[in-house]
Amino acid sequence: MNAAQRQSAETKFEPLLQFEMEMGTFLSDWHHCDQLSTYMARMISHNRTDPLRHSNFFSSALNELLEVSFRGGLPEGRIGCAVYRHGPKERVKLSFPCPPGQRQFFREAVAKTHRNDAYARYLDALSTDLGPSREAILLDLAINFDAEIRLEEEGPPTITIIVDLPLEVIVS
Amino acid sequence: MSTAMLAAPFQAEFDANSQEFSFAGVIRPRSVDEIAHSISTFRNAIEEARGVLYINVKRLAQMNNTAFHAFSRVVLDACRARSDIRFVVVTSSVVGWTERMFRHLGKIEPQITVEVYDSKFYPGQSFVEDTSFIPILRTQTKMTWRHERKILPRHGMRPGIVMADICCGIGDFAVLVRKEFQPARIVALDHSKASLAYARDVAKNFGISDIEYSYGDASEMLLEDNQFDLVTCRHSLQIFNQPDLLLKELYRICKPGGRVYITNEKNSHCLGEPRAQSIQWTYNEVAKLFSHFEMDVELGPKSRRYLADAGFDDIRVESFMVTNLDGDPQDFADIITAWENVYAGEMAVKRGDPPEFIERFRQGFRDHIFAALHPKGYAGWPIWAASGRKPL
């Protein structure tokens, strides 16, 4: 996709919902991940073909992203999450302050979701790792939710993960 | 937003009798330590199990990767340590992500198989899911609606309520309720994708966009507790082999003070004149035939007991007779023709009934049609409507 095509596709995504909060507040309670993902999922799913199941799927995916930012984020600055829609896809844009040392990690983790061996890596992580790494979580989104994942590089310290989820197709 | 679900603890239980370990609810721990007790219980269950251990995730609404990874590791480690045991993970087609996530375990270890639970609670579904049955479902709803629109307000229906129509079928009842009573919100749920597709299509054609049609399992619903002022479930308890289990779910999603409304038949009380004896014989046999397939089409008058046993109070029961005098007698006749086709043409054949039985069985339906269309005839189909209030 060239720059003009990408720009055209970008403009077709309609904004649905967004929130912003102090990162320190977000990090003060683990349950914020569950509460925010459940609430946002319900809000954006109401006019999908099957709102209940769409909401269930979306909450699963968004919760994982919020958990990634919870585990990897800095307490200063703000976390922002916006959801957009274009046809059967929802786009989640999640921005959060990330330590400089982790930016490269995220670049590599996202790149691995695009590689041909993504599924083999995911199975390997399931069968050998002691716990789920953030890399495995991104692979989970790509494999189990058919997500397309990329990073939007802004100036430090913020990092933005963009995830396109074709849930309407999966749910229906 | 209800916070009930967010605060609800998850359940992880082992039933030693069925060698089944069940996960239910929302499992989103920050670390494995938070679910250490459940992990330990799971390990003990595996220690105890012989042969096959079932892992039931049908009611698992959410599970984060931390929990999924932890429980998966226990299973995968057990596969490596115990060649004598197999694991069967039972997922639900309704909670779609479980199907997608758990299937990978079978790729890693051949001792693990992943099954999608679907039909155990729906012995009658295949008989009514045929799209040829759809027109008759419309006619049935049209004929019962003449009565139900009058009695529904006595069972909690009023404008502005939040209601759920569970086992909504092709969705006609939800559309009629919406037009007549203007509820604030209607969720209509069914386990037939064909019926839901039809319902959505009809709604779209009529410009209706505010009925939430959802694919769901009435005995294992994703809907949260205590949400609805009125929960309706029509002609469905009678085709479940565990109606008490379904009522438990209807009770759960109903608000305290709200009502659950059910309709059911007593097929042996279908009647007609002339040729009453032949009609009577056939409908007695209908009841026996359904019983063979673990369905109770005699449930109607038992509604009061079922509602009481499920914990409802202020139980109201009434019955009405759909007859050939309600509108066009041909509508009544069309319904009986559809019954004859399904009951005598499919179910009796599947039971293995001999041709002479099937012929006599068919004759009763034909006599019922004759009664319906005869200028001096009378044909009836009795229905019991009942509701109970969930205590405050």
Side-chain angles (χ1 to χ4, degrees), chain A residues 30 34 42 50 53 56 59-60 64 67 71 119 125 129 140 144, chain B residues 28 30 61-62 64-66 69 73 94 97 100 104 214-215 224:
Chain A
W30 172 251
D34 175 64
R42 185 162 313 149
D50 192 330
R53 295 178 69 235
N56 181 259
S59 175
S60 281
E64 294 301 334
E67 288 188 9
R71 294 185 198 280
Y119 187 53
D129 291 356
D140 159 53
N144 295 319
Chain B
R28 286 174 166 171
R30 181 172 182 176
Q62 295 290 352
N64 69 0
N65 265 293
T66 299
H69 201 99
R73 279 307 301 267
V94 175
W97 63 265
R100 287 182 151 239
H104 307 302
S214 188
Y215 173 66
E224 292 166 27

PDB file of all heavy atoms in Angstrom, chain A residues 30 34 42 50 53 56 59-60 64 67 71 119 125 129 140 144, chain B residues 28 30 61-62 64-66 69 73 94 97 100 104 214-215 224:
ATOM      1  N   TRP A  30      -5.212  -2.801  38.833  1.00  0.00           N
ATOM      2  CA  TRP A  30      -5.179  -3.779  37.736  1.00  0.00           C
ATOM      3  C   TRP A  30      -6.548  -3.940  37.068  1.00  0.00           C
ATOM      4  O   TRP A  30      -6.662  -4.155  35.859  1.00  0.00           O
ATOM      5  CB  TRP A  30      -4.697  -5.128  38.288  1.00  0.00           C
ATOM      6  CG  TRP A  30      -4.801  -6.271  37.329  1.00  0.00           C
ATOM      7  CD1 TRP A  30      -5.670  -7.322  37.375  1.00  0.00           C
ATOM      8  CD2 TRP A  30      -3.997  -6.491  36.161  1.00  0.00           C
ATOM      9  NE1 TRP A  30      -5.459  -8.174  36.329  1.00  0.00           N
ATOM     10  CE2 TRP A  30      -4.431  -7.695  35.569  1.00  0.00           C
ATOM     11  CE3 TRP A  30      -2.945  -5.790  35.576  1.00  0.00           C
ATOM     12  CZ2 TRP A  30      -3.855  -8.200  34.407  1.00  0.00           C
ATOM     13  CZ3 TRP A  30      -2.369  -6.300  34.409  1.00  0.00           C
ATOM     14  CH2 TRP A  30      -2.827  -7.481  33.844  1.00  0.00           C
ATOM     15  N   ASP A  34      -9.746  -4.632  32.904  1.00  0.00           N
ATOM     16  CA  ASP A  34     -10.998  -5.375  32.728  1.00  0.00           C
ATOM     17  C   ASP A  34     -12.182  -4.422  32.596  1.00  0.00           C
ATOM     18  O   ASP A  34     -13.023  -4.570  31.697  1.00  0.00           O
ATOM     19  CB  ASP A  34     -11.186  -6.295  33.943  1.00  0.00           C
ATOM     20  CG  ASP A  34     -12.518  -7.017  33.927  1.00  0.00           C
ATOM     21  OD1 ASP A  34     -12.731  -7.818  33.012  1.00  0.00           O
ATOM     22  OD2 ASP A  34     -13.345  -6.766  34.816  1.00  0.00           O
ATOM     23  N   ARG A  42     -18.783  -2.887  25.153  1.00  0.00           N
ATOM     24  CA  ARG A  42     -20.244  -2.792  25.097  1.00  0.00           C
ATOM     25  C   ARG A  42     -20.681  -1.549  24.323  1.00  0.00           C
ATOM     26  O   ARG A  42     -21.631  -1.592  23.537  1.00  0.00           O
ATOM     27  CB  ARG A  42     -20.813  -2.759  26.508  1.00  0.00           C
ATOM     28  CG  ARG A  42     -22.318  -2.790  26.490  1.00  0.00           C
ATOM     29  CD  ARG A  42     -22.891  -3.182  27.814  1.00  0.00           C
ATOM     30  NE  ARG A  42     -22.216  -4.338  28.361  1.00  0.00           N
ATOM     31  CZ  ARG A  42     -22.079  -4.537  29.662  1.00  0.00           C
ATOM     32  NH1 ARG A  42     -22.556  -3.673  30.527  1.00  0.00           N
ATOM     33  NH2 ARG A  42     -21.462  -5.604  30.092  1.00  0.00           N
ATOM     34  N   ASP A  50     -24.251  -8.930  15.919  1.00  0.00           N
ATOM     35  CA  ASP A  50     -24.506  -9.657  17.156  1.00  0.00           C
ATOM     36  C   ASP A  50     -23.787  -8.922  18.281  1.00  0.00           C
ATOM     37  O   ASP A  50     -22.628  -9.229  18.600  1.00  0.00           O
ATOM     38  CB  ASP A  50     -24.003 -11.104  17.026  1.00  0.00           C
ATOM     39  CG  ASP A  50     -24.496 -11.985  18.157  1.00  0.00           C
ATOM     40  OD1 ASP A  50     -24.702 -11.461  19.277  1.00  0.00           O
ATOM     41  OD2 ASP A  50     -24.675 -13.193  17.923  1.00  0.00           O
ATOM     42  N   ARG A  53     -22.001 -11.006  21.316  1.00  0.00           N
ATOM     43  CA  ARG A  53     -20.788 -11.776  21.010  1.00  0.00           C
ATOM     44  C   ARG A  53     -19.678 -10.869  20.493  1.00  0.00           C
ATOM     45  O   ARG A  53     -18.499 -11.100  20.755  1.00  0.00           O
ATOM     46  CB  ARG A  53     -21.107 -12.885  19.999  1.00  0.00           C
ATOM     47  CG  ARG A  53     -22.054 -13.918  20.587  1.00  0.00           C
ATOM     48  CD  ARG A  53     -22.425 -14.978  19.596  1.00  0.00           C
ATOM     49  NE  ARG A  53     -21.310 -15.836  19.276  1.00  0.00           N
ATOM     50  CZ  ARG A  53     -20.870 -16.068  18.038  1.00  0.00           C
ATOM     51  NH1 ARG A  53     -21.483 -15.514  17.009  1.00  0.00           N
ATOM     52  NH2 ARG A  53     -19.848 -16.863  17.824  1.00  0.00           N
ATOM     53  N   ASN A  56     -18.095  -9.470  23.486  1.00  0.00           N
ATOM     54  CA  ASN A  56     -17.281 -10.466  24.171  1.00  0.00           C
ATOM     55  C   ASN A  56     -15.913 -10.615  23.511  1.00  0.00           C
ATOM     56  O   ASN A  56     -14.873 -10.635  24.174  1.00  0.00           O
ATOM     57  CB  ASN A  56     -18.044 -11.796  24.189  1.00  0.00           C
ATOM     58  CG  ASN A  56     -17.291 -12.906  24.892  1.00  0.00           C
ATOM     59  OD1 ASN A  56     -16.695 -13.760  24.259  1.00  0.00           O
ATOM     60  ND2 ASN A  56     -17.293 -12.878  26.216  1.00  0.00           N
ATOM     61  N   SER A  59     -13.864  -7.245  23.873  1.00  0.00           N
ATOM     62  CA  SER A  59     -13.353  -7.085  25.239  1.00  0.00           C
ATOM     63  C   SER A  59     -12.110  -7.944  25.446  1.00  0.00           C
ATOM     64  O   SER A  59     -11.138  -7.512  26.081  1.00  0.00           O
ATOM     65  CB  SER A  59     -14.444  -7.477  26.237  1.00  0.00           C
ATOM     66  OG  SER A  59     -13.943  -7.451  27.544  1.00  0.00           O
ATOM     67  N   SER A  60     -12.123  -9.154  24.909  1.00  0.00           N
ATOM     68  CA  SER A  60     -10.957 -10.040  25.035  1.00  0.00           C
ATOM     69  C   SER A  60      -9.712  -9.393  24.444  1.00  0.00           C
ATOM     70  O   SER A  60      -8.646  -9.361  25.068  1.00  0.00           O
ATOM     71  CB  SER A  60     -11.190 -11.345  24.286  1.00  0.00           C
ATOM     72  OG  SER A  60     -11.984 -12.209  25.012  1.00  0.00           O
ATOM     73  N   GLU A  64      -6.320  -7.476  26.474  1.00  0.00           N
ATOM     74  CA  GLU A  64      -4.916  -7.892  26.332  1.00  0.00           C
ATOM     75  C   GLU A  64      -4.033  -6.686  26.023  1.00  0.00           C
ATOM     76  O   GLU A  64      -2.931  -6.562  26.552  1.00  0.00           O
ATOM     77  CB  GLU A  64      -4.777  -8.948  25.232  1.00  0.00           C
ATOM     78  CG  GLU A  64      -5.454 -10.274  25.541  1.00  0.00           C
ATOM     79  CD  GLU A  64      -4.955 -10.957  26.809  1.00  0.00           C
ATOM     80  OE1 GLU A  64      -3.794 -10.716  27.208  1.00  0.00           O
ATOM     81  OE2 GLU A  64      -5.736 -11.717  27.416  1.00  0.00           O
ATOM     82  N   GLU A  67      -3.626  -4.686  29.118  1.00  0.00           N
ATOM     83  CA  GLU A  67      -2.704  -5.364  30.036  1.00  0.00           C
ATOM     84  C   GLU A  67      -1.256  -5.177  29.592  1.00  0.00           C
ATOM     85  O   GLU A  67      -0.356  -5.017  30.422  1.00  0.00           O
ATOM     86  CB  GLU A  67      -3.048  -6.857  30.144  1.00  0.00           C
ATOM     87  CG  GLU A  67      -4.340  -7.116  30.928  1.00  0.00           C
ATOM     88  CD  GLU A  67      -4.585  -8.591  31.218  1.00  0.00           C
ATOM     89  OE1 GLU A  67      -3.681  -9.408  30.967  1.00  0.00           O
ATOM     90  OE2 GLU A  67      -5.676  -8.915  31.706  1.00  0.00           O
ATOM     91  N   ARG A  71       1.537  -3.420  31.974  1.00  0.00           N
ATOM     92  CA  ARG A  71       2.787  -4.056  32.392  1.00  0.00           C
ATOM     93  C   ARG A  71       4.010  -3.300  31.887  1.00  0.00           C
ATOM     94  O   ARG A  71       5.069  -3.354  32.492  1.00  0.00           O
ATOM     95  CB  ARG A  71       2.839  -5.501  31.881  1.00  0.00           C
ATOM     96  CG  ARG A  71       1.785  -6.403  32.516  1.00  0.00           C
ATOM     97  CD  ARG A  71       1.976  -7.841  32.072  1.00  0.00           C
ATOM     98  NE  ARG A  71       0.794  -8.655  32.302  1.00  0.00           N
ATOM     99  CZ  ARG A  71       0.456  -9.184  33.470  1.00  0.00           C
ATOM    100  NH1 ARG A  71       1.216  -8.984  34.532  1.00  0.00           N
ATOM    101  NH2 ARG A  71      -0.628  -9.920  33.580  1.00  0.00           N
ATOM    102  N   TYR A 119       2.733 -18.513  13.679  1.00  0.00           N
ATOM    103  CA  TYR A 119       1.956 -19.554  14.364  1.00  0.00           C
ATOM    104  C   TYR A 119       2.881 -20.518  15.111  1.00  0.00           C
ATOM    105  O   TYR A 119       2.596 -20.904  16.254  1.00  0.00           O
ATOM    106  CB  TYR A 119       1.080 -20.304  13.362  1.00  0.00           C
ATOM    107  CG  TYR A 119       0.129 -21.285  14.028  1.00  0.00           C
ATOM    108  CD1 TYR A 119      -0.720 -20.871  15.046  1.00  0.00           C
ATOM    109  CD2 TYR A 119       0.099 -22.620  13.643  1.00  0.00           C
ATOM    110  CE1 TYR A 119      -1.582 -21.752  15.674  1.00  0.00           C
ATOM    111  CE2 TYR A 119      -0.770 -23.522  14.270  1.00  0.00           C
ATOM    112  CZ  TYR A 119      -1.602 -23.081  15.278  1.00  0.00           C
ATOM    113  OH  TYR A 119      -2.457 -23.960  15.909  1.00  0.00           O
ATOM    114  N   ALA A 125       5.634 -20.676  22.240  1.00  0.00           N
ATOM    115  CA  ALA A 125       5.492 -19.882  23.466  1.00  0.00           C
ATOM    116  C   ALA A 125       4.497 -20.550  24.421  1.00  0.00           C
ATOM    117  O   ALA A 125       4.710 -20.567  25.637  1.00  0.00           O
ATOM    118  CB  ALA A 125       5.005 -18.475  23.116  1.00  0.00           C
ATOM    119  N   ASP A 129       7.167 -21.496  27.289  1.00  0.00           N
ATOM    120  CA  ASP A 129       7.387 -20.338  28.163  1.00  0.00           C
ATOM    121  C   ASP A 129       6.703 -20.531  29.512  1.00  0.00           C
ATOM    122  O   ASP A 129       5.650 -21.144  29.605  1.00  0.00           O
ATOM    123  CB  ASP A 129       6.848 -19.052  27.507  1.00  0.00           C
ATOM    124  CG  ASP A 129       7.670 -18.649  26.293  1.00  0.00           C
ATOM    125  OD1 ASP A 129       8.689 -19.316  26.025  1.00  0.00           O
ATOM    126  OD2 ASP A 129       7.275 -17.684  25.614  1.00  0.00           O
ATOM    127  N   ASP A 140      -1.000 -13.782  19.932  1.00  0.00           N
ATOM    128  CA  ASP A 140      -2.364 -14.256  20.217  1.00  0.00           C
ATOM    129  C   ASP A 140      -3.386 -13.402  19.470  1.00  0.00           C
ATOM    130  O   ASP A 140      -4.325 -13.931  18.847  1.00  0.00           O
ATOM    131  CB  ASP A 140      -2.602 -14.190  21.732  1.00  0.00           C
ATOM    132  CG  ASP A 140      -4.081 -14.158  22.101  1.00  0.00           C
ATOM    133  OD1 ASP A 140      -4.814 -15.044  21.640  1.00  0.00           O
ATOM    134  OD2 ASP A 140      -4.499 -13.249  22.838  1.00  0.00           O
ATOM    135  N   ASN A 144      -5.493 -15.484  16.928  1.00  0.00           N
ATOM    136  CA  ASN A 144      -6.847 -15.837  17.386  1.00  0.00           C
ATOM    137  C   ASN A 144      -7.893 -14.783  17.052  1.00  0.00           C
ATOM    138  O   ASN A 144      -9.089 -15.063  17.089  1.00  0.00           O
ATOM    139  CB  ASN A 144      -6.835 -16.095  18.895  1.00  0.00           C
ATOM    140  CG  ASN A 144      -6.001 -17.305  19.248  1.00  0.00           C
ATOM    141  OD1 ASN A 144      -6.045 -18.317  18.564  1.00  0.00           O
ATOM    142  ND2 ASN A 144      -5.196 -17.180  20.297  1.00  0.00           N
TER     143      ASN A 144
ATOM    144  N   ARG B  28      -9.311 -12.924  34.816  1.00  0.00           N
ATOM    145  CA  ARG B  28      -8.304 -12.002  34.313  1.00  0.00           C
ATOM    146  C   ARG B  28      -7.348 -11.592  35.435  1.00  0.00           C
ATOM    147  O   ARG B  28      -7.352 -10.452  35.901  1.00  0.00           O
ATOM    148  CB  ARG B  28      -8.979 -10.750  33.736  1.00  0.00           C
ATOM    149  CG  ARG B  28      -9.656 -11.006  32.396  1.00  0.00           C
ATOM    150  CD  ARG B  28     -10.442  -9.805  31.925  1.00  0.00           C
ATOM    151  NE  ARG B  28     -10.798  -9.936  30.514  1.00  0.00           N
ATOM    152  CZ  ARG B  28     -11.635  -9.112  29.882  1.00  0.00           C
ATOM    153  NH1 ARG B  28     -12.206  -8.098  30.531  1.00  0.00           N
ATOM    154  NH2 ARG B  28     -11.902  -9.280  28.603  1.00  0.00           N
ATOM    155  N   ARG B  30      -3.845 -10.650  37.483  1.00  0.00           N
ATOM    156  CA  ARG B  30      -2.620  -9.908  37.159  1.00  0.00           C
ATOM    157  C   ARG B  30      -1.429 -10.860  37.131  1.00  0.00           C
ATOM    158  O   ARG B  30      -0.534 -10.721  36.319  1.00  0.00           O
ATOM    159  CB  ARG B  30      -2.401  -8.807  38.194  1.00  0.00           C
ATOM    160  CG  ARG B  30      -1.177  -7.980  37.912  1.00  0.00           C
ATOM    161  CD  ARG B  30      -1.085  -6.780  38.823  1.00  0.00           C
ATOM    162  NE  ARG B  30       0.075  -5.982  38.503  1.00  0.00           N
ATOM    163  CZ  ARG B  30       0.361  -4.832  39.085  1.00  0.00           C
ATOM    164  NH1 ARG B  30      -0.442  -4.338  40.021  1.00  0.00           N
ATOM    165  NH2 ARG B  30       1.441  -4.163  38.746  1.00  0.00           N
ATOM    166  N   ALA B  61     -16.591 -16.792  30.200  1.00  0.00           N
ATOM    167  CA  ALA B  61     -16.872 -15.583  29.410  1.00  0.00           C
ATOM    168  C   ALA B  61     -15.582 -14.899  28.981  1.00  0.00           C
ATOM    169  O   ALA B  61     -15.473 -14.415  27.849  1.00  0.00           O
ATOM    170  CB  ALA B  61     -17.739 -14.624  30.213  1.00  0.00           C
ATOM    171  N   GLN B  62     -14.607 -14.841  29.875  1.00  0.00           N
ATOM    172  CA  GLN B  62     -13.322 -14.206  29.554  1.00  0.00           C
ATOM    173  C   GLN B  62     -12.196 -14.909  30.297  1.00  0.00           C
ATOM    174  O   GLN B  62     -12.377 -15.334  31.436  1.00  0.00           O
ATOM    175  CB  GLN B  62     -13.322 -12.722  29.965  1.00  0.00           C
ATOM    176  CG  GLN B  62     -14.300 -11.850  29.213  1.00  0.00           C
ATOM    177  CD  GLN B  62     -13.900 -11.633  27.753  1.00  0.00           C
ATOM    178  OE1 GLN B  62     -12.811 -12.019  27.325  1.00  0.00           O
ATOM    179  NE2 GLN B  62     -14.794 -11.018  26.990  1.00  0.00           N
ATOM    180  N   ASN B  64      -7.849 -14.139  30.462  1.00  0.00           N
ATOM    181  CA  ASN B  64      -6.712 -13.448  29.834  1.00  0.00           C
ATOM    182  C   ASN B  64      -5.567 -14.435  29.561  1.00  0.00           C
ATOM    183  O   ASN B  64      -5.604 -15.596  29.978  1.00  0.00           O
ATOM    184  CB  ASN B  64      -6.275 -12.237  30.665  1.00  0.00           C
ATOM    185  CG  ASN B  64      -5.629 -12.614  31.988  1.00  0.00           C
ATOM    186  OD1 ASN B  64      -5.486 -13.795  32.312  1.00  0.00           O
ATOM    187  ND2 ASN B  64      -5.252 -11.603  32.764  1.00  0.00           N
ATOM    188  N   ASN B  65      -4.562 -13.941  28.879  1.00  0.00           N
ATOM    189  CA  ASN B  65      -3.454 -14.814  28.487  1.00  0.00           C
ATOM    190  C   ASN B  65      -2.690 -15.343  29.691  1.00  0.00           C
ATOM    191  O   ASN B  65      -2.150 -16.449  29.638  1.00  0.00           O
ATOM    192  CB  ASN B  65      -2.507 -14.068  27.546  1.00  0.00           C
ATOM    193  CG  ASN B  65      -2.840 -14.349  26.090  1.00  0.00           C
ATOM    194  OD1 ASN B  65      -2.686 -15.461  25.622  1.00  0.00           O
ATOM    195  ND2 ASN B  65      -3.337 -13.343  25.381  1.00  0.00           N
ATOM    196  N   THR B  66      -2.646 -14.554  30.753  1.00  0.00           N
ATOM    197  CA  THR B  66      -1.940 -15.013  31.954  1.00  0.00           C
ATOM    198  C   THR B  66      -2.579 -16.297  32.468  1.00  0.00           C
ATOM    199  O   THR B  66      -1.890 -17.285  32.771  1.00  0.00           O
ATOM    200  CB  THR B  66      -1.987 -13.916  33.050  1.00  0.00           C
ATOM    201  OG1 THR B  66      -1.347 -12.757  32.535  1.00  0.00           O
ATOM    202  CG2 THR B  66      -1.319 -14.361  34.331  1.00  0.00           C
ATOM    203  N   HIS B  69      -2.406 -19.237  29.753  1.00  0.00           N
ATOM    204  CA  HIS B  69      -1.075 -19.819  29.701  1.00  0.00           C
ATOM    205  C   HIS B  69      -0.833 -20.738  30.908  1.00  0.00           C
ATOM    206  O   HIS B  69      -0.311 -21.838  30.777  1.00  0.00           O
ATOM    207  CB  HIS B  69      -0.037 -18.690  29.679  1.00  0.00           C
ATOM    208  CG  HIS B  69       1.270 -19.118  29.136  1.00  0.00           C
ATOM    209  ND1 HIS B  69       1.655 -18.875  27.838  1.00  0.00           N
ATOM    210  CD2 HIS B  69       2.286 -19.792  29.704  1.00  0.00           C
ATOM    211  CE1 HIS B  69       2.855 -19.371  27.645  1.00  0.00           C
ATOM    212  NE2 HIS B  69       3.265 -19.927  28.759  1.00  0.00           N
ATOM    213  N   ARG B  73      -0.370 -24.711  30.630  1.00  0.00           N
ATOM    214  CA  ARG B  73       0.899 -25.353  31.036  1.00  0.00           C
ATOM    215  C   ARG B  73       0.643 -26.576  31.901  1.00  0.00           C
ATOM    216  O   ARG B  73       1.337 -27.589  31.792  1.00  0.00           O
ATOM    217  CB  ARG B  73       1.788 -24.356  31.794  1.00  0.00           C
ATOM    218  CG  ARG B  73       2.576 -23.402  30.910  1.00  0.00           C
ATOM    219  CD  ARG B  73       3.398 -24.143  29.856  1.00  0.00           C
ATOM    220  NE  ARG B  73       4.350 -25.071  30.449  1.00  0.00           N
ATOM    221  CZ  ARG B  73       5.614 -24.763  30.731  1.00  0.00           C
ATOM    222  NH1 ARG B  73       6.095 -23.574  30.422  1.00  0.00           N
ATOM    223  NH2 ARG B  73       6.413 -25.644  31.289  1.00  0.00           N
ATOM    224  N   VAL B  94     -20.709 -20.390  21.089  1.00  0.00           N
ATOM    225  CA  VAL B  94     -21.190 -19.046  21.416  1.00  0.00           C
ATOM    226  C   VAL B  94     -20.032 -18.153  21.870  1.00  0.00           C
ATOM    227  O   VAL B  94     -19.907 -17.009  21.450  1.00  0.00           O
ATOM    228  CB  VAL B  94     -22.278 -19.119  22.510  1.00  0.00           C
ATOM    229  CG1 VAL B  94     -22.693 -17.727  22.948  1.00  0.00           C
ATOM    230  CG2 VAL B  94     -23.476 -19.902  22.001  1.00  0.00           C
ATOM    231  N   TRP B  97     -14.150 -17.058  21.089  1.00  0.00           N
ATOM    232  CA  TRP B  97     -12.699 -16.986  21.273  1.00  0.00           C
ATOM    233  C   TRP B  97     -12.164 -18.236  21.973  1.00  0.00           C
ATOM    234  O   TRP B  97     -11.006 -18.605  21.798  1.00  0.00           O
ATOM    235  CB  TRP B  97     -12.292 -15.709  22.016  1.00  0.00           C
ATOM    236  CG  TRP B  97     -12.841 -15.633  23.416  1.00  0.00           C
ATOM    237  CD1 TRP B  97     -13.975 -15.011  23.811  1.00  0.00           C
ATOM    238  CD2 TRP B  97     -12.287 -16.237  24.592  1.00  0.00           C
ATOM    239  NE1 TRP B  97     -14.174 -15.203  25.159  1.00  0.00           N
ATOM    240  CE2 TRP B  97     -13.146 -15.937  25.661  1.00  0.00           C
ATOM    241  CE3 TRP B  97     -11.144 -17.006  24.831  1.00  0.00           C
ATOM    242  CZ2 TRP B  97     -12.909 -16.378  26.952  1.00  0.00           C
ATOM    243  CZ3 TRP B  97     -10.910 -17.452  26.129  1.00  0.00           C
ATOM    244  CH2 TRP B  97     -11.779 -17.130  27.175  1.00  0.00           C
ATOM    245  N   ARG B 100     -11.301 -20.665  19.411  1.00  0.00           N
ATOM    246  CA  ARG B 100     -10.095 -20.273  18.675  1.00  0.00           C
ATOM    247  C   ARG B 100      -8.832 -20.469  19.507  1.00  0.00           C
ATOM    248  O   ARG B 100      -7.799 -20.873  18.980  1.00  0.00           O
ATOM    249  CB  ARG B 100     -10.217 -18.808  18.241  1.00  0.00           C
ATOM    250  CG  ARG B 100     -11.213 -18.657  17.113  1.00  0.00           C
ATOM    251  CD  ARG B 100     -11.311 -17.230  16.624  1.00  0.00           C
ATOM    252  NE  ARG B 100     -11.685 -17.242  15.213  1.00  0.00           N
ATOM    253  CZ  ARG B 100     -10.970 -16.718  14.236  1.00  0.00           C
ATOM    254  NH1 ARG B 100      -9.834 -16.113  14.486  1.00  0.00           N
ATOM    255  NH2 ARG B 100     -11.375 -16.790  12.984  1.00  0.00           N
ATOM    256  N   HIS B 104      -5.510 -24.752  19.856  1.00  0.00           N
ATOM    257  CA  HIS B 104      -4.063 -24.888  19.655  1.00  0.00           C
ATOM    258  C   HIS B 104      -3.456 -25.979  20.534  1.00  0.00           C
ATOM    259  O   HIS B 104      -2.437 -26.560  20.182  1.00  0.00           O
ATOM    260  CB  HIS B 104      -3.360 -23.563  19.941  1.00  0.00           C
ATOM    261  CG  HIS B 104      -3.932 -22.413  19.180  1.00  0.00           C
ATOM    262  ND1 HIS B 104      -3.993 -22.392  17.808  1.00  0.00           N
ATOM    263  CD2 HIS B 104      -4.489 -21.252  19.596  1.00  0.00           C
ATOM    264  CE1 HIS B 104      -4.561 -21.271  17.418  1.00  0.00           C
ATOM    265  NE2 HIS B 104      -4.872 -20.566  18.480  1.00  0.00           N
ATOM    266  N   SER B 214     -29.095 -12.088  18.916  1.00  0.00           N
ATOM    267  CA  SER B 214     -27.821 -12.660  19.336  1.00  0.00           C
ATOM    268  C   SER B 214     -27.839 -14.179  19.263  1.00  0.00           C
ATOM    269  O   SER B 214     -28.831 -14.815  19.645  1.00  0.00           O
ATOM    270  CB  SER B 214     -27.518 -12.216  20.769  1.00  0.00           C
ATOM    271  OG  SER B 214     -26.228 -12.602  21.123  1.00  0.00           O
ATOM    272  N   TYR B 215     -26.734 -14.722  18.775  1.00  0.00           N
ATOM    273  CA  TYR B 215     -26.555 -16.177  18.746  1.00  0.00           C
ATOM    274  C   TYR B 215     -26.119 -16.618  20.142  1.00  0.00           C
ATOM    275  O   TYR B 215     -25.092 -16.162  20.647  1.00  0.00           O
ATOM    276  CB  TYR B 215     -25.483 -16.534  17.714  1.00  0.00           C
ATOM    277  CG  TYR B 215     -25.086 -17.982  17.700  1.00  0.00           C
ATOM    278  CD1 TYR B 215     -25.981 -18.973  17.314  1.00  0.00           C
ATOM    279  CD2 TYR B 215     -23.806 -18.375  18.066  1.00  0.00           C
ATOM    280  CE1 TYR B 215     -25.614 -20.299  17.297  1.00  0.00           C
ATOM    281  CE2 TYR B 215     -23.425 -19.710  18.040  1.00  0.00           C
ATOM    282  CZ  TYR B 215     -24.337 -20.662  17.658  1.00  0.00           C
ATOM    283  OH  TYR B 215     -23.966 -21.981  17.642  1.00  0.00           O
ATOM    284  N   GLU B 224     -25.512 -10.941  31.259  1.00  0.00           N
ATOM    285  CA  GLU B 224     -25.175 -10.775  32.673  1.00  0.00           C
ATOM    286  C   GLU B 224     -26.390 -11.002  33.579  1.00  0.00           C
ATOM    287  O   GLU B 224     -27.533 -10.973  33.118  1.00  0.00           O
ATOM    288  CB  GLU B 224     -24.636  -9.368  32.895  1.00  0.00           C
ATOM    289  CG  GLU B 224     -23.296  -9.164  32.234  1.00  0.00           C
ATOM    290  CD  GLU B 224     -22.935  -7.705  32.164  1.00  0.00           C
ATOM    291  OE1 GLU B 224     -23.397  -6.933  33.012  1.00  0.00           O
ATOM    292  OE2 GLU B 224     -22.194  -7.341  31.248  1.00  0.00           O
TER     293      GLU B 224
END
